[in-house]
Coordinates of all heavy atoms in Angstrom, one line a residue:
M26 N 0.8 -1.2 0.0 CA 0.0 0.0 0.0 C 0.9 1.3 0.0 O 1.9 1.3 0.7 CB -0.9 0.0 1.3 CG -1.8 1.2 1.4 SD -3.0 1.0 2.7 CE -4.5 1.5 1.8
S27 N 0.5 2.2 -0.8 CA 1.3 3.5 -0.8 C 1.1 4.3 0.5 O 0.0 4.1 1.1 CB 0.9 4.3 -2.0 OG -0.4 4.6 -1.9
E28 N 2.0 5.2 0.8 CA 1.8 5.9 2.0 C 0.9 7.1 1.8 O 0.7 7.6 0.7 CB 3.1 6.3 2.7 CG 3.9 7.3 1.8 CD 5.3 7.6 2.5 OE1 5.9 6.7 3.0 OE2 5.7 8.8 2.4
C29 N 0.4 7.6 2.9 CA -0.5 8.8 2.9 C 0.3 10.0 2.3 O 1.4 10.3 2.7 CB -1.0 9.1 4.3 SG -2.0 10.6 4.4
Q30 N -0.3 10.7 1.4 CA 0.3 11.9 0.8 C 0.6 13.0 1.8 O 1.3 13.9 1.6 CB -0.6 12.4 -0.3 CG -2.0 12.9 0.2 CD -2.9 13.3 -1.1 OE1 -2.6 13.0 -2.2 NE2 -4.0 13.9 -0.7
N31 N -0.1 12.9 3.0 CA 0.1 14.0 4.0 C 1.3 13.7 4.9 O 1.6 14.5 5.8 CB -1.1 14.1 4.9 CG -2.4 14.5 4.1 OD1 -2.3 15.1 3.0 ND2 -3.5 14.1 4.5
L32 N 1.9 12.5 4.8 CA 2.9 12.1 5.8 C 4.0 13.1 6.1 O 4.3 13.3 7.3 CB 3.4 10.7 5.5 CG 4.3 10.0 6.5 CD1 3.6 9.9 7.9 CD2 4.7 8.7 6.0
E33 N 4.6 13.6 5.1 CA 5.7 14.5 5.3 C 5.3 15.8 6.1 O 6.1 16.4 6.8 CB 6.3 14.9 4.0 CG 7.4 13.9 3.6 CD 8.2 14.3 2.4 OE1 8.4 15.6 2.2 OE2 8.6 13.5 1.6
N34 N 4.1 16.2 5.9 CA 3.6 17.5 6.5 C 2.6 17.3 7.6 O 2.0 18.3 8.0 CB 3.1 18.4 5.3 CG 4.2 18.8 4.4 OD1 5.3 19.1 4.7 ND2 3.9 18.5 3.1
C35 N 2.3 16.1 8.0 CA 1.3 15.9 9.0 C 1.7 16.5 10.3 O 2.7 16.1 10.9 CB 1.0 14.4 9.1 SG -0.5 14.1 10.1
N36 N 1.0 17.5 10.8 CA 1.4 18.2 12.0 C 1.4 17.3 13.3 O 1.9 17.7 14.3 CB 0.8 19.5 12.2 CG -0.7 19.5 12.3 OD1 -1.3 18.4 12.4 ND2 -1.4 20.6 12.1
F37 N 0.7 16.2 13.2 CA 0.7 15.3 14.3 C 2.1 14.7 14.6 O 2.6 14.7 15.7 CB -0.2 14.1 14.0 CG -0.1 12.9 14.9 CD1 -0.5 13.0 16.2 CD2 0.3 11.7 14.4 CE1 -0.4 11.9 17.0 CE2 0.4 10.6 15.2 CZ 0.1 10.7 16.5
F38 N 2.8 14.4 13.6 CA 4.2 13.9 13.7 C 5.1 15.0 14.0 O 6.1 14.8 14.7 CB 4.6 13.1 12.4 CG 3.7 11.9 12.3 CD1 2.8 11.9 11.2 CD2 3.8 10.8 13.1 CE1 1.9 10.8 11.1 CE2 3.0 9.7 13.0 CZ 2.1 9.7 11.9
K39 N 4.9 16.2 13.4 CA 5.8 17.3 13.7 C 5.7 17.6 15.2 O 6.7 18.0 15.8 CB 5.4 18.5 12.9 CG 5.8 18.3 11.4 CD 5.6 19.5 10.6 CE 6.1 19.2 9.2 NZ 5.9 20.3 8.2
M40 N 4.5 17.6 15.8 CA 4.4 18.0 17.2 C 5.1 17.0 18.1 O 5.7 17.5 19.1 CB 2.9 18.0 17.5 CG 2.7 18.4 19.0 SD 1.0 18.7 19.3 CE 1.1 19.5 20.9
F41 N 5.2 15.7 17.7 CA 5.7 14.7 18.7 C 7.0 14.1 18.3 O 7.5 13.2 19.0 CB 4.7 13.6 19.0 CG 3.4 14.1 19.6 CD1 2.2 14.2 18.9 CD2 3.4 14.5 21.0 CE1 1.0 14.7 19.5 CE2 2.3 15.0 21.6 CZ 1.1 15.1 20.9
E42 N 7.6 14.5 17.1 CA 8.8 13.8 16.7 C 10.0 13.9 17.6 O 10.8 13.1 17.6 CB 9.1 14.2 15.2 CG 9.6 15.7 15.1 CD 9.7 16.1 13.6 OE1 9.6 15.2 12.7 OE2 10.0 17.3 13.4
N43 N 10.0 15.0 18.3 CA 11.2 15.1 19.2 C 10.9 14.6 20.7 O 11.7 14.8 21.5 CB 11.6 16.6 19.3 CG 12.1 17.0 17.9 OD1 12.8 16.3 17.3 ND2 11.8 18.3 17.5
D44 N 9.8 14.0 20.8 CA 9.4 13.5 22.2 C 9.7 12.0 22.2 O 9.0 11.2 21.6 CB 7.9 13.8 22.4 CG 7.5 13.3 23.8 OD1 8.2 12.5 24.4 OD2 6.5 13.7 24.3
K45 N 10.8 11.6 22.8 CA 11.2 10.2 22.7 C 10.2 9.3 23.3 O 10.1 8.1 22.9 CB 12.6 10.0 23.3 CG 13.7 10.6 22.5 CD 15.1 10.2 23.0 CE 16.1 10.7 22.1 NZ 17.4 11.0 22.7
S46 N 9.5 9.8 24.4 CA 8.5 8.9 25.0 C 7.4 8.5 24.0 O 6.6 7.6 24.3 CB 8.0 9.6 26.2 OG 7.1 10.6 25.9
K47 N 7.3 9.2 22.9 CA 6.1 8.9 22.0 C 6.6 8.2 20.7 O 5.8 7.9 19.9 CB 5.5 10.3 21.6 CG 5.0 11.2 22.8 CD 3.7 10.7 23.3 CE 3.0 11.7 24.2 NZ 3.6 11.7 25.5
H48 N 7.9 8.0 20.6 CA 8.3 7.4 19.3 C 7.8 6.0 19.0 O 7.4 5.7 17.9 CB 9.9 7.3 19.4 CG 10.6 8.5 19.0 ND1 11.9 8.7 18.9 CD2 10.0 9.8 18.8 CE1 12.2 10.0 18.6 NE2 11.1 10.6 18.5
L49 N 7.6 5.2 20.0 CA 7.0 3.9 19.8 C 5.6 4.0 19.3 O 5.1 3.3 18.4 CB 7.1 3.0 21.0 CG 6.9 1.5 20.9 CD1 7.9 0.9 19.9 CD2 6.9 0.8 22.2
A50 N 4.8 4.8 20.0 CA 3.4 5.1 19.5 C 3.4 5.7 18.1 O 2.5 5.2 17.3 CB 2.7 6.1 20.4
L51 N 4.3 6.6 17.8 CA 4.2 7.2 16.5 C 4.6 6.1 15.4 O 3.9 6.1 14.3 CB 5.3 8.3 16.3 CG 5.1 9.6 17.2 CD1 6.0 10.7 16.7 CD2 3.6 10.1 17.0
K52 N 5.5 5.3 15.7 CA 5.9 4.2 14.8 C 4.6 3.3 14.5 O 4.4 2.9 13.4 CB 7.1 3.3 15.3 CG 8.4 4.0 15.0 CD 9.5 3.2 15.6 CE 10.0 2.0 14.7 NZ 11.2 1.4 15.2
G53 N 3.9 3.0 15.6 CA 2.8 2.2 15.5 C 1.7 2.8 14.6 O 1.1 2.1 13.8
F54 N 1.5 4.1 14.8 CA 0.4 4.7 14.0 C 0.8 4.8 12.5 O 0.0 4.7 11.7 CB 0.1 6.1 14.6 CG -0.8 6.1 15.8 CD1 -0.3 6.4 17.0 CD2 -2.1 5.6 15.7 CE1 -1.1 6.4 18.2 CE2 -2.9 5.5 16.8 CZ -2.4 5.9 18.0
I55 N 2.1 5.1 12.3 CA 2.5 5.1 10.9 C 2.3 3.7 10.3 O 1.8 3.6 9.1 CB 4.0 5.6 10.8 CG1 4.2 7.0 11.2 CG2 4.6 5.3 9.5 CD1 5.6 7.5 11.3
Y56 N 2.7 2.7 11.0 CA 2.6 1.4 10.4 C 1.1 1.1 10.1 O 0.8 0.5 9.0 CB 3.2 0.4 11.4 CG 3.0 -1.1 11.0 CD1 3.9 -1.6 10.0 CD2 2.1 -1.9 11.6 CE1 3.8 -2.9 9.6 CE2 2.0 -3.2 11.2 CZ 2.8 -3.7 10.2 OH 2.7 -5.1 9.8
M57 N 0.2 1.4 11.0 CA -1.2 1.0 10.9 C -1.9 1.9 10.0 O -2.8 1.5 9.2 CB -1.8 1.0 12.3 CG -1.7 -0.2 13.1 SD -2.8 -0.3 14.5 CE -2.5 1.2 15.3
F58 N -1.7 3.2 10.1 CA -2.5 4.2 9.4 C -1.8 4.8 8.2 O -2.2 4.6 7.0 CB -2.9 5.4 10.3 CG -4.0 5.0 11.2 CD1 -3.7 4.4 12.5 CD2 -5.3 5.2 10.9 CE1 -4.8 4.1 13.4 CE2 -6.4 4.9 11.8 CZ -6.1 4.3 13.0
C59 N -0.7 5.5 8.4 CA 0.0 6.3 7.3 C 0.5 5.4 6.2 O 0.5 5.9 5.0 CB 1.0 7.2 7.9 SG 0.5 8.0 9.4
K60 N 1.0 4.2 6.5 CA 1.5 3.3 5.5 C 0.8 2.0 5.5 O 1.3 1.0 4.9 CB 3.0 3.0 5.8 CG 3.9 4.3 5.7 CD 5.3 3.9 5.9 CE 6.2 5.2 5.7 NZ 7.6 4.9 5.9
G61 N -0.3 2.0 6.1 CA -1.0 0.7 6.3 C -2.5 0.6 5.9 O -3.0 1.6 5.3
R62 N -3.0 -0.5 6.3 CA -4.4 -0.8 5.9 C -5.5 0.1 6.4 O -6.6 0.1 6.0 CB -4.8 -2.3 6.2 CG -4.7 -2.6 7.7 CD -4.9 -4.1 7.9 NE -4.6 -4.4 9.3 CZ -5.5 -4.2 10.3 NH1 -6.7 -3.8 10.0 NH2 -5.2 -4.5 11.6
K63 N -5.2 0.9 7.5 CA -6.2 1.7 8.1 C -6.1 3.2 7.6 O -6.7 4.1 8.0 CB -6.0 1.8 9.6 CG -6.5 0.5 10.3 CD -6.6 0.7 11.7 CE -7.3 -0.4 12.4 NZ -7.5 -0.2 13.8
Q64 N -5.3 3.4 6.6 CA -5.0 4.7 6.0 C -6.3 5.5 5.7 O -6.5 6.6 6.0 CB -4.2 4.7 4.8 CG -3.6 5.9 4.4 CD -2.7 5.8 3.2 OE1 -3.0 6.4 2.2 NE2 -1.7 4.9 3.2
D65 N -7.3 4.7 5.1 CA -8.6 5.4 4.7 C -9.5 5.6 5.9 O -10.5 6.2 5.7 CB -9.3 4.5 3.6 CG -8.5 4.5 2.4 OD1 -7.7 5.5 2.1 OD2 -8.7 3.6 1.6
Q66 N -9.1 5.1 7.1 CA -9.9 5.3 8.3 C -9.3 6.4 9.1 O -9.8 6.7 10.2 CB -10.0 4.0 9.1 CG -10.7 2.9 8.3 CD -10.5 1.6 9.1 OE1 -10.6 1.5 10.3 NE2 -10.3 0.5 8.3
C67 N -8.3 7.0 8.7 CA -7.7 8.1 9.5 C -8.6 9.3 9.8 O -9.0 9.9 8.8 CB -6.3 8.6 8.9 SG -5.6 9.9 9.8
V68 N -8.9 9.5 11.0 CA -9.8 10.6 11.3 C -9.2 11.9 11.0 O -9.9 12.9 10.6 CB -10.2 10.5 12.8 CG1 -11.1 11.7 13.2 CG2 -10.9 9.2 13.1
R69 N -7.9 12.1 11.2 CA -7.3 13.3 10.8 C -7.5 13.6 9.4 O -7.7 14.8 9.0 CB -5.7 13.3 11.1 CG -5.3 13.1 12.6 CD -3.8 13.1 12.7 NE -3.3 14.3 12.2 CZ -3.2 15.5 12.9 NH1 -3.6 15.5 14.2 NH2 -2.8 16.6 12.3
K70 N -7.2 12.6 8.5 CA -7.4 12.8 7.1 C -8.8 13.2 6.7 O -9.1 14.1 5.9 CB -7.0 11.4 6.4 CG -6.8 11.6 4.9 CD -6.6 10.2 4.4 CE -5.3 10.0 3.7 NZ -5.1 8.8 3.0
K71 N -9.8 12.5 7.3 CA -11.2 12.7 7.1 C -11.6 14.2 7.4 O -12.2 14.9 6.7 CB -12.1 11.7 7.8 CG -12.1 10.4 7.2 CD -13.0 9.5 8.0 CE -12.8 8.0 7.5 NZ -13.6 7.0 8.2
I72 N -11.1 14.6 8.6 CA -11.5 16.0 9.0 C -10.8 17.0 8.1 O -11.4 18.0 7.7 CB -11.1 16.2 10.5 CG1 -12.0 15.4 11.4 CG2 -11.1 17.6 10.9 CD1 -11.7 15.4 12.8
S73 N -9.6 16.7 7.7 CA -8.9 17.6 6.9 C -9.6 17.8 5.5 O -9.8 18.9 5.0 CB -7.5 17.0 6.6 OG -6.8 17.7 5.6
Q74 N -10.1 16.7 5.0 CA -10.8 16.7 3.7 C -12.2 17.5 3.9 O -12.6 18.3 3.0 CB -11.1 15.3 3.2 CG -9.9 14.7 2.7 CD -10.0 13.1 2.5 OE1 -10.9 12.4 3.0 NE2 -9.0 12.6 1.8
I75 N -12.9 17.2 5.0 CA -14.2 17.9 5.2 C -14.0 19.4 5.4 O -14.8 20.2 4.8 CB -14.9 17.3 6.4 CG1 -15.3 15.8 6.1 CG2 -16.1 18.0 6.8 CD1 -15.8 15.0 7.3
L76 N -13.0 19.7 6.2 CA -12.8 21.2 6.5 C -11.9 21.9 5.5 O -11.8 23.2 5.4 CB -12.3 21.3 7.9 CG -13.1 20.8 9.0 CD1 -12.4 21.1 10.4 CD2 -14.5 21.5 9.0
G77 N -11.4 21.1 4.5 CA -10.6 21.8 3.4 C -9.2 22.0 3.7 O -8.5 22.4 2.7
S78 N -8.7 21.7 4.8 CA -7.3 21.9 5.1 C -6.8 21.2 6.3 O -7.6 21.1 7.3 CB -7.0 23.4 5.3 OG -5.6 23.6 5.7
S79 N -5.6 20.7 6.3 CA -5.1 20.0 7.5 C -4.8 21.0 8.6 O -4.6 20.6 9.7 CB -3.8 19.2 7.1 OG -2.8 20.1 6.7
Q80 N -4.8 22.3 8.3 CA -4.5 23.3 9.4 C -5.5 23.4 10.4 O -5.3 23.8 11.5 CB -4.2 24.6 8.7 CG -5.5 25.3 8.3 CD -5.3 26.7 7.7 OE1 -4.1 27.1 7.6 NE2 -6.3 27.4 7.3
F81 N -6.7 22.8 10.1 CA -7.8 22.8 11.1 C -7.8 21.6 12.0 O -8.6 21.5 12.9 CB -9.2 22.9 10.4 CG -9.4 24.1 9.5 CD1 -9.6 24.1 8.2 CD2 -9.3 25.3 10.1 CE1 -9.7 25.2 7.4 CE2 -9.5 26.5 9.3 CZ -9.6 26.4 8.0
V82 N -6.9 20.6 11.7 CA -6.9 19.5 12.5 C -5.9 19.6 13.7 O -4.8 20.0 13.5 CB -6.4 18.2 11.7 CG1 -6.5 16.9 12.5 CG2 -7.2 18.1 10.4
P83 N -6.4 19.5 14.9 CA -5.5 19.7 16.1 C -4.3 18.7 16.0 O -4.4 17.6 15.7 CB -6.4 19.2 17.3 CG -7.8 19.2 16.8 CD -7.7 18.9 15.3
P84 N -3.1 19.3 16.2 CA -1.9 18.6 16.2 C -1.8 17.3 17.1 O -1.2 16.3 16.8 CB -0.8 19.5 16.5 CG -1.3 20.9 16.4 CD -2.8 20.7 16.6
N85 N -2.5 17.4 18.2 CA -2.4 16.3 19.2 C -3.5 15.3 19.0 O -3.7 14.4 19.8 CB -2.5 16.8 20.7 CG -3.9 17.5 21.0 OD1 -4.5 18.0 20.1 ND2 -4.3 17.4 22.2
M86 N -4.2 15.4 17.9 CA -5.2 14.3 17.5 C -4.6 13.2 16.9 O -3.8 13.3 15.8 CB -6.4 14.9 16.6 CG -7.3 13.8 16.2 SD -8.4 14.3 14.9 CE -9.6 15.4 15.8
L87 N -4.9 12.0 17.5 CA -4.3 10.8 16.9 C -5.0 10.4 15.6 O -6.2 10.7 15.4 CB -4.4 9.6 17.9 CG -3.7 9.8 19.2 CD1 -4.1 8.7 20.2 CD2 -2.2 9.7 19.0
P88 N -4.5 9.6 14.8 CA -5.2 9.1 13.6 C -6.5 8.4 13.9 O -7.5 8.4 13.1 CB -4.2 8.1 12.9 CG -2.9 8.5 13.4 CD -3.1 9.1 14.8
N89 N -6.7 7.9 15.1 CA -7.9 7.3 15.5 C -9.0 8.3 16.1 O -10.0 7.9 16.5 CB -7.7 6.1 16.4 CG -7.1 6.5 17.8 OD1 -7.0 7.7 18.1 ND2 -6.6 5.6 18.5
G90 N -8.6 9.5 16.1 CA -9.5 10.5 16.6 C -9.4 10.9 18.1 O -10.1 11.9 18.5
F91 N -8.6 10.1 18.9 CA -8.5 10.5 20.3 C -7.3 11.5 20.4 O -6.5 11.7 19.5 CB -8.1 9.2 21.1 CG -9.3 8.2 21.2 CD1 -9.5 7.2 20.3 CD2 -10.3 8.4 22.2 CE1 -10.6 6.3 20.4 CE2 -11.4 7.5 22.3 CZ -11.5 6.6 21.4
A92 N -7.2 12.0 21.6 CA -6.1 12.9 21.9 C -4.9 12.1 22.4 O -5.0 11.0 23.0 CB -6.5 13.8 23.0
M93 N -3.7 12.6 22.0 CA -2.5 11.8 22.4 C -2.4 11.7 23.9 O -2.9 12.6 24.6 CB -1.3 12.6 21.9 CG 0.1 12.1 22.3 SD 0.5 10.4 21.7 CE 1.5 10.7 20.4
A94 N -2.0 10.6 24.4 CA -1.9 10.4 25.8 C -1.1 11.5 26.5 O -0.1 12.0 25.9 CB -1.1 9.0 26.1
G95 N -1.6 12.0 27.6 CA -0.9 13.1 28.2 C -1.4 14.5 27.7 O -0.9 15.5 28.2
T96 N -2.3 14.5 26.8 CA -2.9 15.7 26.3 C -4.4 15.6 26.3 O -4.9 14.5 26.7 CB -2.5 16.0 24.8 OG1 -3.1 15.1 23.9 CG2 -0.9 15.9 24.6
N97 N -5.1 16.7 26.0 CA -6.6 16.6 26.0 C -7.2 17.4 24.8 O -6.5 18.0 24.0 CB -7.1 17.0 27.3 CG -6.8 18.4 27.6 OD1 -7.0 19.3 26.9 ND2 -6.2 18.7 28.8
K98 N -8.4 17.4 24.8 CA -9.2 18.0 23.6 C -9.6 19.5 23.9 O -10.3 20.0 23.2 CB -10.4 17.2 23.4 CG -10.2 15.8 23.0 CD -11.5 15.0 22.6 CE -11.3 13.6 22.3 NZ -12.5 12.9 22.1
S99 N -9.1 20.0 25.0 CA -9.6 21.3 25.5 C -9.3 22.4 24.4 O -10.1 23.4 24.4 CB -9.0 21.7 26.8 OG -7.6 21.7 26.7
N100 N -8.3 22.3 23.6 CA -8.0 23.3 22.6 C -8.6 23.0 21.2 O -8.4 23.7 20.3 CB -6.6 23.5 22.4 CG -6.0 24.2 23.6 OD1 -6.6 25.0 24.3 ND2 -4.7 23.9 23.8
W101 N -9.4 21.9 21.2 CA -10.1 21.5 19.8 C -11.2 22.4 19.6 O -12.0 22.7 20.4 CB -10.5 20.1 19.8 CG -9.2 19.1 19.9 CD1 -7.9 19.4 20.2 CD2 -9.3 17.7 19.8 NE1 -7.2 18.3 20.3 CE2 -7.9 17.2 20.0 CE3 -10.3 16.8 19.5 CZ2 -7.6 15.8 19.9 CZ3 -10.0 15.5 19.4 CH2 -8.6 15.0 19.6
S102 N -11.3 22.9 18.3 CA -12.5 23.7 18.0 C -13.7 23.0 18.0 O -13.8 21.7 17.8 CB -12.3 24.4 16.6 OG -12.4 23.3 15.6
E103 N -14.9 23.6 18.1 CA -16.2 23.0 18.0 C -16.4 22.4 16.7 O -17.1 21.4 16.6 CB -17.3 24.1 18.3 CG -18.6 23.6 18.8 CD -19.6 24.7 19.0 OE1 -19.2 25.7 19.6 OE2 -20.7 24.5 18.6
K104 N -15.9 23.1 15.6 CA -16.0 22.6 14.3 C -15.4 21.2 14.2 O -16.0 20.3 13.5 CB -15.1 23.5 13.4 CG -15.9 24.1 12.2 CD -15.1 25.0 11.3 CE -13.7 25.4 11.6 NZ -13.2 26.4 10.6
V105 N -14.3 21.0 14.9 CA -13.7 19.6 14.9 C -14.4 18.7 15.7 O -14.8 17.5 15.2 CB -12.2 19.8 15.3 CG1 -11.6 18.4 15.6 CG2 -11.4 20.5 14.2
T106 N -14.8 19.0 16.9 CA -15.4 18.0 17.8 C -16.8 17.6 17.4 O -17.2 16.5 17.6 CB -15.5 18.7 19.2 OG1 -16.2 19.9 19.2 CG2 -14.2 18.8 20.0
K107 N -17.5 18.5 16.6 CA -18.8 18.1 16.0 C -18.6 17.0 15.0 O -19.6 16.2 14.7 CB -19.5 19.3 15.3 CG -20.2 20.1 16.3 CD -20.9 21.3 15.5 CE -21.8 22.1 16.5 NZ -22.3 23.3 15.8
L108 N -17.5 16.9 14.4 CA -17.2 15.9 13.4 C -16.9 14.5 13.9 O -16.8 13.5 13.2 CB -16.2 16.4 12.4 CG -16.5 17.5 11.5 CD1 -15.3 18.0 10.7 CD2 -17.7 17.2 10.6
L109 N -16.5 14.4 15.2 CA -16.1 13.2 15.8 C -17.3 12.3 16.1 O -18.4 12.7 16.4 CB -15.3 13.4 17.0 CG -13.9 14.2 16.8 CD1 -13.3 14.6 18.1 CD2 -13.0 13.4 16.0
Ligands
SF4_300 S1 -1.9 10.7 10.5 FE1 -3.5 10.4 8.9 S2 -3.4 12.3 7.7 FE2 -1.5 12.2 8.9 S3 0.0 11.2 7.5 FE3 -1.0 9.5 8.8 S4 -2.8 8.8 7.6 FE4 -2.1 10.7 6.7

C-alpha cells in the first residue's frame, strides 16, 4: 500500500517527533494508518478533507480521533469536535 500523501507534512508527527517517549506510539500509528491498511480510516485525514485543510486538525489528535496520551481536547475547535 502506498503511504499517505500527508505524511511528510502531517502536524501530528511534527508535534511529537522530538518526544522520545512517544516514538514507539508514532511508529505504530505510521505502520497501521499512514503506511498501512487503516489509512482510509484516519480521522485526521477525514477531518482535513471535510474542512478543506489540515491546518484545522488539532496537532495532538491521533489518527484514530483520540487525543495523544498526556494531552486533551480542550483546545479543539467546536467545528472539529462536532465531526467526531
Ligand atoms: S496521521 Fe492520517 S493524515 Fe497524517 S499522515 Fe497519517 S494517515 Fe495521513
Side-chain angles (χ1 to χ4, degrees):
M26 181 171 222
S27 61
E28 68 182 39
C29 175
Q30 61 186 13
N31 302 334
L32 186 54
E33 270 189 34
N34 297 312
C35 193
N36 56 12
F37 169 64
F38 297 106
K39 289 188 174 172
M40 181 170 191
F41 296 108
E42 67 187 354
N43 294 323
D44 183 341
K45 285 189 177 153
S46 70
K47 304 281 191 282
H48 278 186
L49 195 59
L51 294 188
K52 276 176 89 170
F54 282 113
I55 289 174
Y56 177 76
M57 280 193 304
F58 285 87
C59 317
K60 295 183 177 179
R62 62 186 170 82
K63 289 188 161 187
Q64 194 178 123
D65 293 336
Q66 296 168 40
C67 177
V68 177
R69 297 186 57 86
K70 192 187 242 185
K71 286 180 184 172
I72 289 177
S73 171
Q74 286 166 346
I75 292 168
L76 298 181
S78 171
S79 60
Q80 73 179 6
F81 299 118
V82 185
N85 67 328
M86 179 190 281
L87 299 170
N89 61 14
F91 290 94
M93 175 61 102
T96 71
N97 60 53
K98 301 179 180 180
S99 60
N100 288 333
W101 295 10
S102 72
E103 201 181 320
K104 234 176 359 183
V105 166
T106 52
K107 275 184 177 172
L108 293 171
L109 295 173

